Amino acid sequence: EKLRVAVLVSKAALQFIHAVTPAPSEYTVPSEVKNAGFGICADELGNIVEGHDIKKLKGHGGIEGIANMLNASITDGINATSDTLKVRQDIYGLNRFTESPPRGFWGFVWEALQDMTLIILGICAIMSLIVGITMEGWPTGAQDGLGIVASILLVVFVTATSDYRQSLQFKDLDREKKKISVQVTRNGYRQKISIYALLPGDIVHLSIGDQVPADGLFISGFSLLIDESSLTGESEPITINSDYPFLLSGTKVQDGSCKMLVTTVGMRTQWGKLMATLSEGGDDETPLQVKLNGVATIIGKIGLFFAVVTFAVLTQGLFNRKLQEGTHLNWSGDDALELLEYFAVAVTIVVVAVPEGLPLAVTLSLAFAMKKMMNDKALVRHLAACETMGSGTCICSDKTGTLTTNHMTVIKSCICGNIKEVSNSHEKESICTEISDSVLKILFQSIFNNTGGEVVRDKDGKVEILGTPTETALLEFGLSLGGDFQLVRKECKLIKVEPFNSAKKRMGVVLHLPWGGFRAHCKGASEIVLASCDKYIDSTGKVVSLDETSTNHLNNTIERFASEALRTLCLAYLELDDFSSDSQIPTTGYTCIGIVGIKDPVRPGVKESVEICRRAGITVRMVTGDNITTAKAIARECGILTDDGVMARSSPLDKHTLVTKLRTLFGEVVAVTGDGTNDAPALHEADIGLAMGISGTEVAKESADVIILDDNFSTIVTVAKWGRSVYVNIQKFVQFQLTVNVVALVVNFSSACLTGNAPLTAVQLLWVNMIMDTLGALALATEPPNDELMKQAPVGRKGNFISNIMWRNVLGQAIYQFIIIWCLQARGRKLFQLDGPDRDLTLNTLIFNSFVFCQIFNEINSREMEKINVFKGILGNYVFLGVLLCTVIFQIIIIEYLGTFANTIPLTLPQWIMCILFGFFGMPIAALIKMLPV
């Protein structure tokens, strides 16, 4: 909406400027532009295109005049050498948008400091410092306050470092999203370059589904419709032609094709100017993050209640003690410090209770998965797709390019009723000898004119075929029969082109013949084009009416080709006496030239991947625009074919309907693949839209959640595996964190109520909070996927995130830890034979140390929620091992060297061993708990 308003304001401003500014009698070329050898500056070009100024365009000699001023040719593009490109860049700029500077590390530190509970703790620390130093002097009185400050800073810096690293990861992924290549003519030949390398004077070739990469002018093309909704919000497409030739960056080709002369690039385009005024927002929260934020809020409220009650009980204990001592009217600095400590403990209970690590774990896991999936040829555009794919129950896959290799070759043909094996060189030669020259001429005319492809020579002079795999296969077939692409194209004038689209399943052109008259050529889905024919060319080369026998022969040929898993196309033509470019190409009365069978081999590994999906409870459905017989043959080869596993001759609307019904009526979590512009509605409707990176149009990619960079079905299975891994990893972390939450809350609350003091201090609780939040998330959320994940049933749409298995593990482990800590509180002095003035401090240190080691070993337990063997693959997860090692090292430092700040005292070796054993015994307990049925 902001973008639309900005465009309308921009247009209104331009119209006002044009209205009040008198037109100059003659344009003056700036000296720096003139010295560089150009005849027009970037601002003038921008005014022409952005202002849609036809008068000014004509004043500069039209499109050819503009091209000449840019030292370019509308046929050969620019003459590009490293030196000339540098000069052009200096004058006209680069095709890049200015990005807002990334937030630095200190920005994330500042953000982490905004946490309300940390602010309250900071206030407590300042008050503690003031009262302590006033009463006891420096440094003794500052120890408690500095301990809290140090803990807060540690939490802040660890959180900021984690967030900063994630921001760098997402920036890298965002850069990958913007990598787009375009077909241009430079130095007289077609080539593919990055949109960032585009310069004014380049000739860009656009077709259905492409995004216009810069502002420019229409040179030539057919039936060009441009969707400007991304700029203006208008849903109606704009017709672009020589009368209205203005193309704007950021818009999309809805239909047709064209050649465009680039005029302005980067920040000088209308899109670039608007991007400068708008800041791009980050990813919205994913559904799981929203759900877990809700869980965190509920737990936080419970924690707040416990904190208030704990503070009230501790404060009441202090009042009762002073009442008994008769000092209730005399309050000292020590009493104030004690009250402050109680308040700090209460606040820290809230800090521990609020599981802010839940959304952090989701982000960490998703960021980790996104980075790894890039290596596995899957680019995630929306974070939510990672987790949603883990719940997927159904994949509706395209056939061409996804299940098959998309390397097409004409294998068989039926020209003039004669079936030939084109792959056999001898039979291929016989095609030319057995059919008449006139028929061969019509065949070449059909192949070379009725195409979206092109035959060009590269800079080394080698022949290169450009276009879709289907077009490439047909052009290659025409060339192999001895056809000359350029010669055939020059013989006739192209009057009208109706490009192929998935709805019509046909493509048509009309040619103006050199000897007078017109001829329409049509090609497309065999049974559809054949139904438009009432005549065919027989084996003698004569045009005869289609009777029942010949129709049956052609239909049987289509079925025979299709049963061999060949994609069939029918070629036909129609003689016309008269035709206008404004007329529609006729759809009936055609003469069938022949049928070709195109082989597109199944990708290696697809059958195995489909079987993996089946074992994982994911239904694979093939949705294709091909003939039903071809679809069945391919589906059998892939191992997909079931009663409801194939949908053939489907239109984009059919695919959209299928996806909608699967989601609404059957409650399926649906993943859909697509590559064409018309697939966008289905990709958008699906739970997970998967666009093809190689064959997919920019429109399809923009509608998708994940881009499959190698167009391979096996990669989709990898995405599903990573999705499940994300889901399970977050479940593991939630199980681990809920255990710590329950134990920490119950221990401090019950101790405060029963003994009048809390065994875990504010500093100790902050350390535990960091173990279970940041470090726990880092350890458990980055577990790589394993093959076992694809042997489980999918969670589906209605599965509970916190399962009964998780509750069993949480409660079982929490009860064990609670018993250990209570035994230590009740019998710890006797068990460890503690006496002397430090016995209470030593006992509290033992409780704290045992509690931390219980969490360390429980972190290992949490690697598997159902399996007893929790060590499988642990040595391969360096992040997990690193987190465990760091936690242990820091724990040793806290106990042995930071006693003044952390309220601990150094322990003896036997005491250390006992604390570690208390934690370790949680592992066999966890194994026993996992045996309990739920």
Side-chain angles (χ1 to χ4, degrees), residues 81 92 127 137 149 208 218 293 408 511 529 611 671 721 729 924:
T81 64
Y92 297 108
M127 290 170 65
V149 169
I208 293 179
F218 172 93
N293 278 334
M408 301 193 189
L511 306 175
V529 175
E611 183 54 37
K721 190 197 288 186
N729 284 351

Side-chain angles (χ1 to χ4, degrees), residues 678-732:
N678 291 330
D679 288 328
L683 289 168
H684 192 267
E685 176 67 24
D687 295 286
I688 311 103
L690 304 159
M692 300 298 108
I694 298 170
S695 61
T697 63
E698 289 308 316
V699 174
K701 290 175 189 176
E702 202 169 279
S703 301
D705 303 298
V706 180
I707 298 173
I708 306 300
L709 299 175
D710 60 355
D711 290 17
N712 195 335
F713 184 81
S714 301
T715 305
I716 297 171
V717 178
T718 305
V719 172
K721 190 197 288 186
W722 271 107
R724 290 190 173 195
S725 176
V726 166
Y727 197 87
V728 170
N729 284 351
I730 297 167
Q731 280 187 315
K732 291 173 186 176

Side-chain angles (χ1 to χ4, degrees), residues 352-366:
V352 174
V354 174
E356 64 268 26
L358 293 183
L360 172 66
V362 177
T363 309
L364 270 174
S365 191
L366 293 174

Side-chain angles (χ1 to χ4, degrees), residues 732-733 735-737 739-740 768 770-783 813 817 851-865 870-871 874 877 879-888 919 922-923 926 930:
K732 291 173 186 176
F733 173 72
Q735 175 186 294
F736 168 68
Q737 189 169 50
T739 306
V740 189
V768 170
M770 200 166 75
I771 292 173
M772 70 177 191
D773 273 355
T774 309
L775 297 179
L778 195 62
L780 291 168
T782 55
E783 281 275 334
Q813 192 64 221
Q817 291 184 19
F851 181 62
V852 168
F853 274 99
C854 280
Q855 308 326 315
I856 290 170
F857 284 100
N858 189 36
E859 206 163 347
I860 300 171
N861 288 331
S862 298
R863 291 189 73 241
E864 290 289 349
M865 288 188 289
V870 293
F871 293 103
I874 194 170
N877 190 344
V879 175
F880 189 90
L881 293 174
V883 167
L884 285 186
L885 185 62
C886 288
T887 307
V888 172
M923 297 193 73
K930 287 173 184 175

Side-chain angles (χ1 to χ4, degrees), residues 46-64:
N47 290 337
I48 292 170
V49 177
E50 194 178 335
H52 300 169
D53 197 331
I54 291 283
K55 187 178 178 182
K56 195 173 276 190
L57 175 63
K58 287 179 179 176
H60 285 297
I63 294 166
E64 283 203 35

Side-chain angles (χ1 to χ4, degrees), residues 633-851:
I634 294 285
R636 282 193 197 95
E637 204 173 331
C638 296
I640 290 174
L641 188 58
T642 59
D643 292 339
D644 59 351
V646 178
M647 183 165 150
R649 282 292 181 238
S650 65
S651 68
L653 185 60
D654 296 330
K655 187 187 277 192
H656 182 267
T657 305
L658 173 68
V659 172
T660 305
K661 297 301 180 188
L662 285 171
R663 292 182 72 231
T664 54
L665 292 182
F666 299 98
E668 300 253 22
V669 178
V670 185
V672 170
T673 71
D675 54 9
T677 304
N678 291 330
D679 288 328
L683 289 168
H684 192 267
E685 176 67 24
D687 295 286
I688 311 103
L690 304 159
M692 300 298 108
I694 298 170
S695 61
T697 63
E698 289 308 316
V699 174
K701 290 175 189 176
E702 202 169 279
S703 301
D705 303 298
V706 180
I707 298 173
I708 306 300
L709 299 175
D710 60 355
D711 290 17
N712 195 335
F713 184 81
S714 301
T715 305
I716 297 171
V717 178
T718 305
V719 172
K721 190 197 288 186
W722 271 107
R724 290 190 173 195
S725 176
V726 166
Y727 197 87
V728 170
N729 284 351
I730 297 167
Q731 280 187 315
K732 291 173 186 176
F733 173 72
V734 169
Q735 175 186 294
F736 168 68
Q737 189 169 50
L738 285 177
T739 306
V740 189
N741 275 353
V742 170
V743 177
L745 276 177
V746 173
V747 165
N748 260 22
F749 174 70
S750 57
S751 294
C753 293
L754 298 174
T755 67
N757 60 62
L760 299 174
T761 67
V763 173
Q764 291 168 359
L765 282 172
L766 279 171
W767 169 236
V768 170
N769 184 62
M770 200 166 75
I771 292 173
M772 70 177 191
D773 273 355
T774 309
L775 297 179
L778 195 62
L780 291 168
T782 55
E783 281 275 334
N786 56 61
D787 292 335
E788 296 297 315
L789 289 170
M790 297 303 284
K791 294 178 182 175
Q792 303 165 5
V795 177
R797 195 174 293 280
K798 296 179 182 177
N800 290 324
F801 180 75
I802 302 178
S803 63
N804 292 337
I805 290 168
M806 291 167 68
W807 281 121
R808 175 198 67 189
N809 296 344
V810 167
L811 294 175
Q813 192 64 221
I815 290 167
Y816 164 73
Q817 291 184 19
F818 187 64
I819 290 169
I820 288 291
I821 289 167
W822 261 108
C823 286
L824 284 172
Q825 278 196 302
R827 297 282 183 266
R829 292 181 184 87
K830 188 175 180 181
L831 177 65
F832 288 98
Q833 299 176 347
L834 302 176
D835 52 22
D838 292 330
R839 62 179 188 171
D840 287 344
L841 183 57
T842 305
L843 180 62
N844 283 345
T845 303
L846 285 166
I847 290 170
F848 169 56
N849 206 29
S850 300
F851 181 62

